[in-house]
């Protein structure tokens, strides 16, 4: 079984070939490996219930994937960062990452992930709208404060 040409080492571009021109150079392999393992580290932190640490690892992984031009991995990392922010009940942060990854996921044809991201973004917008309403005193209990003054009778 042979590897399709589009997936072989030459698909990485001439700058990523080693001195012999046959495969990725050590620096490229190291950069790819670092981003990949940071992504796995983020998954591990999430699995252990440490979303803050997961976000940090995913952010570093996303930077590495972006630098490599690995748009699929980059988009999925952004989605994972958003999910971690949702776990932390930080919809304002999650919405930003979801808005960044959604067009990438659609462009890549990752419809299942794009649909998930859209659902999460919609939920974030609902949560933010409710928070704004509560913050402005339009819904929920009003805080005691000086009311309108009444004339003395």
């Amino acid at each position: 079984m042979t590897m399709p040409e589009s997936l072989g080492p030459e698909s990485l571009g001439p700058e990523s070939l080693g001195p012999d021109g046959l495969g990725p150079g050590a620096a490229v392999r190291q950069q790819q490996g670092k981003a990949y393992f940071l992504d796995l580290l983020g998954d591990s932190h999430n699995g252990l219930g440490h979303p803050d640490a997961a976000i940090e690892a995913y952010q570093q992984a996303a930077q590495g994937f972006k630098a490599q031009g690995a748009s699929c991995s980059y988009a999925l990392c952004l989605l994972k960062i958003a999910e971690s922010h949702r776990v932390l009940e930080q919809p304002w942060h999650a919405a930003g990452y979801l808005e960044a990854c959604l067009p990438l996921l659609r462009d890549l044809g990752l419809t299942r992930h794009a649909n998930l991201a859209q659902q999460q973004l919609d939920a974030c917008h609902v949560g933010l709208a409710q928070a704004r309403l509560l913050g402005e005193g339009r819904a929920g209990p009003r805080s005691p404060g000086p009311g309108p003054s009444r004339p003395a009778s």
Side-chain angles (χ1 to χ4, degrees):
M1 185 169 156
T2 60
M3 183 183 313
E5 284 183 32
S6 64
L7 299 178
E10 59 280 352
S11 69
L12 298 172
E15 67 279 355
S16 64
L17 296 179
D20 56 5
L22 295 177
V28 172
R29 284 192 308 271
Q30 184 178 13
Q31 186 181 23
Q32 290 169 339
K34 182 178 179 182
Y36 174 75
F37 285 113
L38 283 166
D39 186 27
L40 290 178
L41 178 62
D43 292 344
S44 297
H45 283 306
N46 257 341
L48 293 170
H50 304 291
D52 283 320
I55 289 169
E56 188 175 325
Y58 289 143
Q59 286 174 331
Q60 291 179 39
Q63 289 172 352
F65 289 135
K66 185 176 183 179
Q68 296 168 27
S71 17
C72 182
S73 296
Y74 174 67
L76 293 174
C77 257
L78 295 179
L79 181 59
K80 290 177 182 183
I81 294 168
E83 289 171 346
S84 295
H85 278 296
R86 289 192 67 219
V87 167
L88 291 169
E89 297 180 4
Q90 299 173 339
W92 54 92
H93 289 306
Y97 284 98
L98 291 165
E99 288 168 353
C101 77
L102 200 48
L104 298 171
L105 294 169
R106 287 183 179 138
D107 290 347
L108 292 164
L110 300 173
T111 53
R112 186 174 64 88
H113 290 89
N115 291 338
L116 175 65
Q118 185 63 61
Q119 290 170 357
Q120 289 182 5
L121 182 58
D122 293 344
C124 287
H125 286 161
V126 167
L128 290 170
Q130 289 173 343
R132 276 189 281 256
L133 288 175
L134 289 173
E136 294 174 7
R138 293 185 186 151
R142 292 186 177 258
S143 60
S149 59
R150 292 187 180 170
S153 6

